[in-house]
Amino acid sequence: MTLTAETSRTLNALGMLAVCLVLVLALYYQLALYELPCPLCLLQRVGFVAVGFGLGLNLLYGARPRNYALMLLAAVFGGSVSVRQILLHIVPGTGHYGSPVLGLHFYTWAGIAFFLVIIGTSIMLLSERQYQAAPPEETEQRFGGSVLAKSAFLLMLALAIVNAVSALLECGPGICADPPTSYELIDKVESGN
Amino acid sequence: MIALLFGLFASAMGLAWYNRLTVAYVVFGATLLVSVYWFKFHATSVLTIQL
């Protein structure tokens, strides 16, 4: 498979935007429908942000096999969390967490998404040509001068920060409640404790 | 503490932005290990199993 450095960066940017879309949807359900994420749900989001780190390095300085390796490790972590949560609810009558989206719950979609990340990353690793040095004018610039790549990186960074604030408000500085019922830190501040 | 994981990954991305790649990789690796610890903690907690 022949993939130029520029095409590789564009594909990585699109992958980053897809991961961002997952995080945005999760935030929408949290904020608009007041569905607080459980600890395992939060850890799946952590997995997506970790995948975003590997993608971000590919966007910043060009594709490298080690960055894809980090993405695979992150996807295996996130996928493991998803599978754990799927198994929690796989027996009929054991309930579920959150409302379904297109018939599947978020943790099931997350498991599918992490599986797709592993497949996509493996396919990207097939191309050797993407690692060849880009022209000097491109390597001197972060993101190879791509506005799409820079936007995707900054969006992921912003989503990581938003999730950090959200998790802090929900769990406080300690262990997250399981299942969560309210924003613990806000409650503490309001009650003056 | 899960908030810290997001914060650390965001820091790793910030470090990568400023070309501190070695530190960024170390922060990433350490954060992923801590994430695995929290995964083990929450996956085996009594409350979760009783759901």
Side-chain angles (χ1 to χ4, degrees), chain A residues 14-74:
Chain A
L14 293 175
M16 182 76 108
L17 289 175
V19 175
C20 287
L21 180 65
V22 172
L23 290 170
V24 167
L25 281 175
L27 277 171
Y28 169 77
Y29 269 74
Q30 177 184 343
L31 300 174
L33 305 179
Y34 204 71
E35 289 190 1
L36 291 178
C38 60
L40 289 178
C41 312
L42 285 172
L43 285 170
Q44 286 160 59
R45 292 189 195 183
V46 167
F48 282 117
V49 173
V51 168
F53 174 78
L55 284 165
L57 285 176
N58 280 341
L59 296 179
L60 266 168
Y61 303 112
R64 293 287 177 275
R66 67 179 166 216
N67 300 337
Y68 287 125
L70 297 182
M71 286 170 60
L72 287 174
L73 286 172

Side-chain angles (χ1 to χ4, degrees), chain A residues 34 169 181-193:
Chain A
Y34 204 71
L169 291 175
T181 51
S182 65
Y183 288 96
E184 199 173 303
L185 194 61
I186 295 175
D187 290 348
K188 276 185 183 174
V189 170
E190 284 178 348
S191 65
N193 290 325

Side-chain angles (χ1 to χ4, degrees), chain A:
Chain A
M1 191 166 77
T2 55
L3 200 64
T4 63
E6 192 183 345
T7 313
S8 167
R9 184 173 262 126
T10 304
L11 288 174
N12 273 282
L14 293 175
M16 182 76 108
L17 289 175
V19 175
C20 287
L21 180 65
V22 172
L23 290 170
V24 167
L25 281 175
L27 277 171
Y28 169 77
Y29 269 74
Q30 177 184 343
L31 300 174
L33 305 179
Y34 204 71
E35 289 190 1
L36 291 178
C38 60
L40 289 178
C41 312
L42 285 172
L43 285 170
Q44 286 160 59
R45 292 189 195 183
V46 167
F48 282 117
V49 173
V51 168
F53 174 78
L55 284 165
L57 285 176
N58 280 341
L59 296 179
L60 266 168
Y61 303 112
R64 293 287 177 275
R66 67 179 166 216
N67 300 337
Y68 287 125
L70 297 182
M71 286 170 60
L72 287 174
L73 286 172
V76 167
F77 166 74
S80 304
V81 181
S82 305
V83 168
R84 174 72 181 102
Q85 196 167 9
I86 291 168
L87 291 177
L88 269 178
H89 304 295
I90 201 166
V91 178
T94 51
H96 53 80
Y97 193 86
S99 52
V101 180
L102 299 176
L104 298 177
H105 288 90
F106 262 120
Y107 39 88
T108 310
W109 280 118
I112 292 168
F114 284 119
F115 189 67
L116 290 176
V117 168
I118 291 171
I119 291 175
T121 307
S122 305
I123 291 171
M124 288 297 284
L125 276 166
L126 291 173
S127 169
E128 294 279 343
R129 200 175 154 204
Q130 63 182 316
Y131 308 128
Q132 289 172 0
E137 64 272 14
E138 278 189 27
T139 50
E140 284 169 10
Q141 288 180 297
R142 288 193 194 104
F143 306 105
S146 164
V147 176
L148 177 70
K150 189 175 183 178
S151 308
F153 182 92
L154 291 175
L155 181 59
M156 175 55 78
L157 185 58
L159 284 168
I161 294 168
V162 167
N163 271 291
V165 173
S166 160
L168 185 65
L169 291 175
E170 183 186 324
C171 307
I175 297 167
C176 294
D178 192 5
T181 51
S182 65
Y183 288 96
E184 199 173 303
L185 194 61
I186 295 175
D187 290 348
K188 276 185 183 174
V189 170
E190 284 178 348
S191 65
N193 290 325

